[in-house]
Amino acid sequence: MSLQSSDLPPVEATVVSPPSRPKTRPVARPASDRKAKCSMDEEVPPANSWALWRRGVDWPTVIWIGVAHIAALAAPFFFSWQAFVTFLVLYVATGSLGICMGYHRLLTHGAFQTYKPVRWLLALLGGLSGEGSALTWVANHRKHHKFSDKDGDPHSPRHGKWWSHMFWFMPNRGMKWQKELLARYAPDMAKDRGMVLLHKLFLPSHFALGAILFAIGYYGTALGMGGEHAVWYGCSMFFWGLALRMVYVMHVTWLINSATHIWGYRNYETTDDSKNLWWVALLAFGEGWHNNHHAYQRIASQGHKWWEVDVTYWFILAMEKVGLAWNVVRLRDMPKGTPPA
């Protein structure tokens, strides 16, 4: 299998220089014939600069993140073992299966292939992490790899630790910029009707999950809930299964953008600051072996040494065993002598 160290899709056409012609005085074309300048090609204020923040704040995103954090603060006052187990189950489902396997290794990098319904299910779980739809997540992550720790990287710690952790998505860049981001970095995703539908259902899916969790707590007498404390159990399931779990998964994922570009060790001399950080790898189901991933982005396994545990890769192997995954890209598939990215 012939692979490249970078797997960003060829979303921009190659520019071919025209044959040389005798020098002539340029003739002005009508304004209607001139190509409109793309917003992403215009001069953008530096990351985390006052000029960028002065453009305004993306209030829907800020409010969404803020409400989730405020709701998570209520969870300790509604503890139950049933809700704690729900927290753990959804942590694995949305964190490992949704974000790590679905959004990252499958949809962004194509580390393996699977059936369309499985792709949509993994994208749904990824969306329930609260980190945005698959369309926007994939587009931003592909851009991150193209400009990793350079100008254009959406979330490099070189522009500030907290910027890379959670502030990078808060400035208001405008709807036109967002559309052009998707068109340039995720055109394949935008052609998938299932992904587009999930993009539109991002908020409704969270409302539906919250209602389901509350109903399980309210009516779940078979699970030791409900009864005279039905409302309390409903709140317990809601705050632990939705709010606290979502905030926890968010920050674990964000640590990959921030911590693994600051601390850790390197197996490969890549052109960026990516590092392997063991405690992030444990929290993020193997994603913390970030230098390995940046070196060879399409590899399904991000743990390249025997001690680098990668739980998400175990799930991919399990899917391969039962026929739900195929064309799994392994480290041995890299042509000998392929340099790291």
Side-chain angles (χ1 to χ4, degrees):
M1 184 183 295
S2 178
L3 300 173
Q4 300 295 325
S5 61
S6 177
D7 58 358
L8 291 173
V11 296
E12 298 183 49
T14 303
V15 179
V16 180
S17 301
S20 59
R21 299 176 181 175
K23 291 184 178 181
T24 59
R25 186 171 181 174
V27 179
R29 292 179 298 164
S32 58
D33 292 341
R34 298 171 191 163
K35 184 178 179 181
K37 194 172 185 179
C38 176
S39 293
M40 296 190 70
D41 293 330
E42 296 174 357
E43 185 176 352
V44 178
N48 201 21
S49 65
W50 170 244
L52 178 61
W53 285 107
R54 192 169 54 189
R55 291 187 171 191
V57 173
D58 184 353
W59 284 112
T61 300
V62 172
I63 292 172
W64 170 250
I65 299 297
V67 169
H69 280 72
I70 292 171
L73 295 176
F77 302 99
F78 292 91
F79 176 82
S80 68
W81 285 109
Q82 297 93 328
F84 180 70
V85 171
T86 302
F87 170 93
L88 294 177
V89 170
L90 290 177
Y91 164 44
V92 175
T94 62
S96 181
L97 302 183
I99 293 294
C100 302
M101 183 196 294
Y103 273 18
H104 193 204
R105 305 191 198 190
L106 173 64
L107 299 177
T108 302
H109 297 295
F112 66 96
Q113 291 179 281
T114 187
Y115 299 102
K116 270 195 173 182
V118 177
R119 284 169 57 92
W120 294 334
L121 175 60
L122 294 176
L124 172 63
L125 293 174
L128 291 174
S129 71
E131 298 178 24
S133 73
L135 268 66
T136 56
W137 201 101
V138 168
N140 276 304
H141 193 70
R142 287 174 176 172
K143 187 180 181 186
H144 162 64
H145 275 280
K146 184 174 183 180
F147 300 103
S148 184
D149 290 317
K150 300 176 180 65
D151 290 340
D153 188 338
H155 43 66
S156 173
R158 292 186 182 184
H159 301 125
K161 295 183 180 66
W162 281 103
W163 168 264
S164 64
H165 188 72
M166 64 182 296
F167 291 154
W168 65 273
F169 51 76
M170 295 184 182
N172 182 12
R173 296 175 175 88
M175 290 300 298
K176 184 179 180 182
W177 188 92
Q178 294 292 341
K179 290 179 180 179
E180 289 167 357
L181 176 74
L182 297 180
R184 178 171 295 188
Y185 293 102
D188 54 323
M189 300 284 291
K191 294 177 183 177
D192 189 325
R193 294 183 179 180
M195 296 299 173
V196 174
L197 178 61
L198 290 172
H199 177 77
K200 296 177 180 179
L201 293 177
F202 174 72
L203 280 178
S205 65
H206 284 85
F207 296 149
L209 178 60
I212 291 171
L213 290 171
F214 185 87
I216 292 173
Y218 192 91
Y219 296 107
T221 53
L223 300 173
M225 298 182 286
E228 61 182 271
H229 301 294
V231 174
W232 189 91
Y233 277 113
C235 291
S236 177
M237 291 291 288
F238 176 86
F239 289 123
W240 279 85
L242 185 71
L244 183 62
R245 183 269 313 165
M246 190 164 62
V247 169
Y248 184 76
V249 171
M250 284 178 181
H251 282 282
V252 167
T253 305
W254 296 343
L255 282 169
I256 300 164
N257 298 336
S258 56
T260 61
H261 280 258
I262 302 172
W263 304 296
Y265 66 91
R266 291 162 65 86
N267 287 334
Y268 304 97
E269 287 303 317
T270 57
T271 58
D272 55 26
D273 301 331
S274 60
K275 297 176 179 66
N276 296 325
L277 194 54
W278 68 269
W279 56 271
V280 175
L282 293 180
L283 293 174
F285 306 100
E287 295 286 312
W289 310 120
H290 205 51
N291 175 249
N292 298 345
H293 169 60
H294 269 261
Y296 301 106
Q297 298 157 23
R298 284 199 64 199
I299 304 303
S301 172
Q302 296 192 9
H304 294 181
K305 303 292 186 181
W306 68 265
W307 67 84
E308 294 172 345
V309 177
D310 186 351
V311 175
T312 300
Y313 183 56
W314 297 348
F315 287 133
I316 295 173
L317 292 181
M319 289 177 59
E320 185 182 39
K321 288 290 185 182
V322 298
L324 291 177
W326 57 90
N327 290 342
V328 178
V329 182
R330 292 170 166 83
L331 188 60
R332 64 172 179 260
D333 295 323
M334 296 298 300
K336 187 176 182 180
T338 302

